[in-house]
């Protein structure tokens, strides 16, 4: 069984959702106001849900093994990857480990067939290379000391076994299928992206977002 869960926090719906508290629905992870919704960190929301499920204080979703928090998206093409990566990392500097050491990171890319064919305009090998280079370039240009006497922070390095952060890029099949069904419309495939701490990712047997079914 395969599936993809997408959560989009809608500020207009927060008032109605807040009313669900009296109906017995669990609203602990919902924003309480429009301002709160604007400031919601979807990675932190997912992290808290995962902790609650694994601690037994909240039941695991019945039809969902894992969630993918999405910080940004773009049309699935090589030319669109780098600006999206730069935007996501620049908007979330707190996700980047601090200190003088080189940041250790990994890239997790999940492609899907669209209409029975591989994702157009996005070769996996090339995508991994572009993403890794964009992460290195963006992080290397962040918070570098202005004092010429101080050494610059070393460039990030790929570490597939013990990464500090993982950059996730995943093709969304639902969006692709909807566009393909529209007559005389060019198929537009969306690549969802996120930057996750190592605590939300398992490295063995392969890189994957942690499942609700495992306490590892």
């Amino acid at each position: 069984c395969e599936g993809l869960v997408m959560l989009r926090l809608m500020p207009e719906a927060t008032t109605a959702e807040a009313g669900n508290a009296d109906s017995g629905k669990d609203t602990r992870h919902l924003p309480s106001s429009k301002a709160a919704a604007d400031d919601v960190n979807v990675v932190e929301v997912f992290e808290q849900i995962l902790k609650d499920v694994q601690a037994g204080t909240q039941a695991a979703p019945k039809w969902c093994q894992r969630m993918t928090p999405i910080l940004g998206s773009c049309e699935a093409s090589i030319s669109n990857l780098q600006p999206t990566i730069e935007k996501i990392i620049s908007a979330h500097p707190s996700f980047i480990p601090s200190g003088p050491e080189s940041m250790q990171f990994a890239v997790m890319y999940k492609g899907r067939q669209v209409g029975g064919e591989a994702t157009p305009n996005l070769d996996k090998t090339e995508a991994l290379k572009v993403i890794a280079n964009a992460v290195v370039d963006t992080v290397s240009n962040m918070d570098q000391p202005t004092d010429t006497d101080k050494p610059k922070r070393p460039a990030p390095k790929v570490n597939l076994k013990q990464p500090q952060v993982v950059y996730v890029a995943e093709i969304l099949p639902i969006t692709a299928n909807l566009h393909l069904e529209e007559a005389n419309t060019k198929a537009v495939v969306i690549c969802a992206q996120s930057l996750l701490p190592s605590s939300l990712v398992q490295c063995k047997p392969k890189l994957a977002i942690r499942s609700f079914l495992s306490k590892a």
Side-chain angles (χ1 to χ4, degrees), residues 47-206:
E47 186 174 25
Q48 188 59 55
I49 294 174
L50 185 63
K51 287 180 179 178
D52 289 347
V53 170
Q54 294 181 345
T57 58
Q58 177 172 310
K62 189 174 182 181
W63 305 110
C64 174
Q65 290 187 5
R66 57 173 52 88
M67 292 183 180
T68 301
I70 297 173
L71 296 178
S73 63
C74 66
E75 184 175 346
S77 67
I78 291 297
S79 61
N80 288 323
L81 284 176
Q82 183 166 342
T84 305
I85 294 166
E86 292 174 351
K87 181 178 179 180
I88 290 175
I89 294 179
S90 298
H92 300 86
S94 62
F95 288 12
I96 305 301
S98 59
E101 302 297 327
S102 176
M103 183 187 83
Q104 309 293 301
F105 77 100
V107 175
M108 187 177 79
Y109 173 80
K110 186 171 184 179
R112 289 183 172 88
Q113 290 190 341
V114 180
E117 299 180 358
T119 305
N121 304 323
L122 196 58
D123 174 74
K124 180 177 181 179
T125 301
E126 187 177 2
L128 288 171
K129 182 179 179 180
V130 169
I131 294 171
N133 288 338
V135 170
V136 170
D137 291 343
T138 304
V139 175
S140 295
N141 292 327
M142 293 176 62
D143 299 328
Q144 291 289 6
T146 55
D147 190 339
T148 56
D149 294 333
K150 293 183 179 180
K152 290 187 176 182
R153 182 179 181 178
K157 295 181 179 179
V158 174
N159 187 333
L160 300 180
K161 294 183 179 180
Q162 291 183 315
Q164 293 173 292
V165 295
V166 177
Y167 197 91
V168 179
E170 184 168 349
I171 301 301
L172 302 184
I174 298 177
T175 305
N177 289 339
L178 288 176
H179 280 279
L180 286 175
E181 289 172 1
E182 297 178 9
N184 302 319
T185 300
K186 177 183 176 182
V188 177
V189 184
I190 300 301
C191 180
Q193 300 171 51
S194 191
L195 184 67
L196 304 179
S198 59
S199 59
L200 299 182
V201 180
Q202 64 183 38
C203 296
K204 296 181 180 180
K206 65 178 181 179

Side-chain angles (χ1 to χ4, degrees), residues 9-15 30-41:
L9 301 174
M10 302 292 290
E12 296 81 3
T14 55
T15 302
L30 293 175
S32 57
S33 66
K34 183 180 186 301
D38 291 338
D39 294 333
V40 164
N41 184 319

